[in-house]
Structures are given as C-alpha cells and as structure tokens.
Amino acid sequence: MQAGPGGPLPLRVALPLAVAAGLAMLVAFPPYGWWPAAPVGVALLGAAVHRRRVRAGVGLGFVAGVALFGPLLSWTNLHTGQLPWLLLSLLQAGYVGLLGGAAAYASPLVDRWRWSWPALTGVLWVGQEALRSRAPFGGFPWGRLAFSQDESPALRLAAVGGAPLVTFAVALAGGLLVAALWRPWRGGSGQSRWGGAARSRWAAGALAVGAVGVLAVGLLVPVGVAGGGGAVTVAVVQGNVPRLGLDFNAQRQAVLNNHVQATLDLAAQVAAGQRPQPDLVVWPENASDVDPLRSPAAGQRISAAADAVRAPILVGAVLVGPGEGQSRNAGILWRPGSGPDLEQMYTKRHPVPFAEYVPLRDVARMVSKEVDRVRSDMVPGDRAGVVDVGPVVLGDVICFEVAYDGLVRDTVTGGAQLLVVQTNNATFDVAEARQQLAMVRLRAVEHGRASLMASTVGVSGFVTPDGRVSDATGFNTRAVVLRQLPLGDGRTLATRVGVWPEAALTAVAVAALAGAVWRRRRSAVAR
C-alpha cells in the first residue's frame, strides 16, 4: 500500500478499500465463516483512513460499516419491511464511522511510532464495541469481531478475557497487517526510517508473521469445563411453527401444541427404551405465547408433557402483566407433578427496543407506524437467570441477551453449572440463527460451561466447554435432540476478571487519543 510522501492514500483508492474492508469483515461471520477475513478487513480500513482528516475518516469508516452491517443484519427486514433494517444498519455503521475518525485522528502517533499501530488499532476497536454494546437503549453488540471467530484459534482467548480480548486479538492482527503493508515510509532525507530497504522488508515480514501468531496463540490457552460437578442428560425440543414470519403470534396455540406433542413423542421413546431418561427438557423462547399461568388449558397441556416425560421442562413463555399493556418474556421451570415453580422463573432482563418494547413511542410512531405492531411493552426482569432445577443449576438467557457479556456472566457468578439460550428465530432466517450460535460457542469457552441453544425453528444444538457444536438441528423443522452434558462449578479467568479487560483496553484507547491531541498540538507549535 503506497501513499504520497506524508499523505494518505488517494481517495479513489481509499474508498474502494473501505468497501472491501466492510465486505471482508462480513464474510468472516456465519453463514460464510471465513474468519481470517476479519483481520484483513480491519487492515484495509486502517489503511483507508490513515493520515486523513477526521471527517474523511468518519466517512470512510461509515462506508465500511454500511458494507458490513447492511448485509449482516439483512435478516431484520424479512418480515418488518426495510425501514427498521436500514435504521439499525446505519446506526451500527455510525459507530464504525466514529472508529474511522478516531483512527484518522491518531495517525500522528502511528507516524511517530510505527510499532504502536497494531496496539492502537486493537484498543480502538475494543472501545468502539464497548460503546456500541451500551448505547443507545442498552446497545446492540451484534457483529462484534469476536463473534466472527467461532472456528478460529482465537476463540480460546475468550477463556482469558472474554469477547473483548478476542476482538482485541483480531484487531491487533489487522493492525500488524496494515503496519507491514504500509510502505515505503520515508523520512525527510528520503531514507527508510527502518535503516534501509533490507531492514524494512524484514520488519514487514515480521509484522505479517506476527499477525498470524496473534491468532494462533489461542491454541496455547487451555479450555474445557471449569471445575467439575458431574453430568446431566438434557433434551432440547424444537417444536417448529406452522409458518415463518411475524404472524407466529397468531399461531400461538399451534406452536404450543407442537412443543407439547414433540415432548410427548420423546416420552414415548423414553418409555420404550429408545432414548435415555432426560433430567431436564428445554423448550425455546415463545414456545408458549399463551400465558400458561392464566390459561388453565395451556397449563394443563404443559403439565401433561412434564408428567409424561418425567422431567422438569424449562418453558419459554410470554406472560401477561404485571401492569396494563405490559408483558414479560420468561423462562418458567415446570415440574412434573407440581406444575410451575415460580421461585425458579427467569424474566428477560434486556427486552429488545422497538421489538419487545417501544421507547419514545410517540416519536417512533412519527418515523414508522410499524411500531404499533408492538401492542404491549415487555417489562424487564430484575435478577440474573439462575434457575435451580435440582440436578443442575442453569444460567438462562433469552435470545439476543447472549450477545451481552454481563448478562451471561451474572448467571455463572450466581452459580450456573450449565448455560441455556432460549431463542425464537421464526421471524428471522438461518443466517441469524447461525450468528447466534457462534455467540453461544464463545460463551461456552469464556465461562468453561457446556451450553445449549433451544430455538423454535432452529438452529438448536449443544456446545461443549471448548466450543465444539454437536447435534445441531436443521432450520424450519421439528426436532428433539438429547445429550449428556458435563457440569462446571469453577470459574475461568475471564469469569473472574469480568469487565476489567474491556475497561482497561478502552482506557488505553482514550489515553491514545489524548496522546494524539498532544502530538497534534506539539506539531502545530513547531510549525
């Protein structure tokens, strides 16, 4: 990558590089799964914005963000129209634009200390994702670099520092690549700052090898179940829906019947000796959109299933109330013989804005009347999803909550021995489901817990504590999968340190930008 002396790449080169950067990062994610493309995309964006004005860096970063998030989030427009997809994609692209502007502003640091480029790239990416995961309305962490590495050796780094450390490693590798390829770097005398062409080539080669090494170092990290506390046999019931789309709510009785019947069929197979007796059955989110605590018929159907299979069922249900025009998205433990155990019920703590509740409804209605599809606002729960079944303590999170570091960690620090993700993918597609499963894989490694994802329509499956997937189901089909899972009762380093790696790396990013302010002022005084 060559630029004019002291200047950025020509715009006719930088703009296609920004587009290519977004597309390279896109194909790193499921369903494509070309994970090595992620650091390449980071490197391309770094080259495109280097030495540019801040506004140009923001613009090029935004272009890369659109190329990434537009296709990545295309599943959001399948049944709701294009406006929500466009608004969400543009919002997420805006954060990549901020990243591009920050990288452009920090260019004087890189020009002065070339070896700082990889680390600077890494901390800026972590800082951008930390902000995007929190604002606005609680943030939207989908599309973090870490979630593209489910097949990469770097996934194992999650056991040390969680998703932020994996993102840092990917971005660091990208920074090493751009530092290696950005040449020649000439001083005022026309001589290479590295002391000659041979030394410059050696340095570039070392940086490129280092990019590979950063990701490969994950192979040295021991992963697996943290501690050890026996095993349980778990069945996941994927009952399917009559039709994909938003009108699955209109099919709610049929969806409940599907999950009841699949469980009754499992019970018959267990009685016949064809399958082992499960200790627990997990139904997905929205398995019962008929409130089983208010509908005697729905409650009786679930009780019949639990009694037949002789195991408690974790039921994903939508509950009416507590107030007028309110509802709750919950996982209820339904025990055979006694019914719902309301002491062991988890209410989703992070409802999705504009999908499960509508903030600023009057303002949102002026943008799109589609917000009125959300007739009742879901009320968030106030405690972590720790569910004590008896043979096992579950860490339950619902749907998109798996993307949020703290929501998952809270269940493990609360005593969870097994991680459960209840989700409903009936309004999306298989690409979204596979992206979600990649997050489950990271969480399993991060906390050293066997994990599972239970979906209404797929993909459901089990994940070992070292991140391997087993018994993954097909999409838009009925399936029941059953497996014995090891229980963990210890804590990984990532579980123990929690948010601190992200906080530390973000603080370094802020300090680097402060250093860029100092460097720019010093240069201005010198001029």
Side-chain angles (χ1 to χ4, degrees), residues 503-524:
L505 293 168
T506 302
V508 173
V510 173
L513 292 176
V517 173
W518 168 80
R519 184 71 187 170
R520 284 175 174 270
R521 287 180 177 176
R522 184 176 177 182
S523 298

Side-chain angles (χ1 to χ4, degrees), residues 302-308 310-312 334-340:
I302 298 172
S303 291
D307 292 344
R310 294 180 297 147
W334 211 281
R335 297 188 185 275
S338 58

Side-chain angles (χ1 to χ4, degrees), residues 3-9 49-53 103-104 107 111 182 184-186:
L9 293 172
V49 302
H50 186 56
R51 295 177 177 167
R52 309 205 83 85
R53 294 181 181 273
S107 294
D111 286 339
W182 185 279
W185 257 15
R186 303 294 184 186

Side-chain angles (χ1 to χ4, degrees), residues 438-499:
M439 301 177 198
V440 181
R441 298 179 71 175
L442 184 140
R443 300 306 180 194
V445 173
E446 179 180 14
H447 298 294
R449 294 292 189 271
S451 306
L452 63 89
M453 187 164 95
S455 170
T456 46
V457 298
V459 177
S460 303
F462 301 101
V463 180
T464 61
D466 60 2
R468 290 174 294 150
V469 177
S470 62
D471 300 299
T473 63
F475 191 75
N476 194 22
T477 184
R478 194 179 96 167
V480 177
V481 289
L482 188 146
R483 178 167 286 270
Q484 187 178 70
L485 301 175
L487 302 181
D489 54 17
R491 296 186 182 183
T492 63
L493 180 59
T495 306
R496 292 196 294 269
V497 298
V499 74

Side-chain angles (χ1 to χ4, degrees), residues 272-419:
Q274 298 170 349
R275 286 195 163 185
Q277 171 65 48
D279 299 302
L280 169 69
V281 177
V282 179
W283 286 6
E285 177 190 27
N286 295 119
S288 180
D289 275 355
V290 180
D291 185 343
L293 303 182
R294 292 180 177 242
S295 169
Q300 289 168 8
R301 293 282 286 157
I302 298 172
S303 291
D307 292 344
V309 79
R310 294 180 297 147
I313 303 175
L314 184 64
V315 178
V318 173
L319 308 180
V320 177
E324 184 72 23
Q326 294 179 329
S327 60
R328 288 168 291 165
N329 192 347
I332 308 171
L333 190 66
W334 211 281
R335 297 188 185 275
S338 58
D341 184 348
L342 299 185
E343 293 295 320
Q344 303 302 324
M345 181 178 79
Y346 170 61
T347 300
K348 187 175 184 180
R349 289 198 290 165
H350 197 299
V352 179
F354 304 104
E356 294 178 320
Y357 78 102
V358 181
L360 308 174
R361 185 179 286 269
D362 291 340
V363 176
R365 189 179 291 115
M366 289 189 288
V367 177
S368 173
K369 296 188 184 302
E370 292 293 320
V371 298
D372 289 329
R373 285 178 177 267
V374 184
R375 295 184 177 88
S376 64
D377 287 332
M378 285 191 172
V379 179
D382 58 4
R383 65 179 182 87
V386 180
V387 179
D388 190 347
V389 178
V392 57
V393 179
L394 303 178
D396 187 25
V397 294
I398 297 177
C399 200
F400 289 2
E401 289 187 319
V402 69
Y404 295 85
D405 299 345
L407 296 181
V408 181
R409 178 177 179 268
D410 285 351
T411 70
V412 179
T413 58
Q417 300 169 297
L418 174 71
L419 297 180

Side-chain angles (χ1 to χ4, degrees), residues 62-447:
F62 182 76
V63 168
V66 170
L68 166 62
F69 286 108
L72 185 72
L73 302 178
S74 61
W75 42 265
T76 61
N77 75 349
L78 294 178
H79 307 288
T80 60
Q82 293 189 347
L83 185 60
W85 163 61
L86 288 173
L87 292 177
L88 182 59
S89 300
L90 294 177
L91 176 62
Q92 302 308 302
Y95 287 98
V96 185
L98 292 176
L99 170 70
Y105 189 79
S107 294
L109 293 180
V110 174
D111 286 339
R112 178 64 181 86
W113 299 286
R114 183 173 184 176
W115 287 100
S116 70
W117 205 343
L120 179 65
T121 302
V123 297
L124 288 179
W125 270 96
V126 172
Q128 175 265 140
E129 290 187 355
L131 179 62
R132 189 164 63 82
S133 299
R134 291 166 173 81
F137 308 116
F140 187 68
W142 212 274
R144 296 165 74 181
L145 291 178
F147 298 149
S148 70
Q149 301 298 296
D150 57 320
E151 296 286 351
S152 164
L155 179 70
R156 300 165 73 97
L157 295 173
V160 178
L165 184 60
V166 179
T167 285
F168 177 76
V170 174
L172 180 67
L176 287 164
L177 287 177
V178 71
L181 298 176
W182 185 279
R183 59 178 193 181
W185 257 15
R186 303 294 184 186
S189 64
Q191 297 298 315
S192 169
R193 290 185 180 180
W194 299 94
R199 187 176 178 187
S200 181
R201 287 193 295 270
W202 176 88
L207 290 167
V209 171
V212 177
V214 164
L215 301 180
V217 75
L219 295 172
L220 303 177
V221 177
V223 295
V225 63
V232 292
T233 301
V234 182
V236 172
V237 173
Q238 178 180 301
N240 207 14
V241 299
R243 296 180 305 280
L244 297 175
L246 286 178
D247 68 339
F248 76 89
N249 283 310
Q251 313 163 48
R252 54 189 183 174
Q253 187 63 56
V255 175
L256 173 59
N257 290 341
N258 283 358
H259 286 84
V260 168
Q261 188 59 53
T263 306
L264 293 175
D265 292 345
L266 170 64
Q269 293 170 352
V270 171
Q274 298 170 349
R275 286 195 163 185
Q277 171 65 48
D279 299 302
L280 169 69
V281 177
V282 179
W283 286 6
E285 177 190 27
N286 295 119
S288 180
D289 275 355
V290 180
D291 185 343
L293 303 182
R294 292 180 177 242
S295 169
Q300 289 168 8
R301 293 282 286 157
I302 298 172
S303 291
D307 292 344
V309 79
R310 294 180 297 147
I313 303 175
L314 184 64
V315 178
V318 173
L319 308 180
V320 177
E324 184 72 23
Q326 294 179 329
S327 60
R328 288 168 291 165
N329 192 347
I332 308 171
L333 190 66
W334 211 281
R335 297 188 185 275
S338 58
D341 184 348
L342 299 185
E343 293 295 320
Q344 303 302 324
M345 181 178 79
Y346 170 61
T347 300
K348 187 175 184 180
R349 289 198 290 165
H350 197 299
V352 179
F354 304 104
E356 294 178 320
Y357 78 102
V358 181
L360 308 174
R361 185 179 286 269
D362 291 340
V363 176
R365 189 179 291 115
M366 289 189 288
V367 177
S368 173
K369 296 188 184 302
E370 292 293 320
V371 298
D372 289 329
R373 285 178 177 267
V374 184
R375 295 184 177 88
S376 64
D377 287 332
M378 285 191 172
V379 179
D382 58 4
R383 65 179 182 87
V386 180
V387 179
D388 190 347
V389 178
V392 57
V393 179
L394 303 178
D396 187 25
V397 294
I398 297 177
C399 200
F400 289 2
E401 289 187 319
V402 69
Y404 295 85
D405 299 345
L407 296 181
V408 181
R409 178 177 179 268
D410 285 351
T411 70
V412 179
T413 58
Q417 300 169 297
L418 174 71
L419 297 180
V420 172
V421 179
Q422 295 176 286
T423 187
N424 173 30
N425 307 108
T427 57
F428 305 125
D429 62 12
V430 67
E432 182 271 345
R434 294 199 177 279
Q435 290 164 19
Q436 199 169 35
L437 184 60
M439 301 177 198
V440 181
R441 298 179 71 175
L442 184 140
R443 300 306 180 194
V445 173
E446 179 180 14
H447 298 294

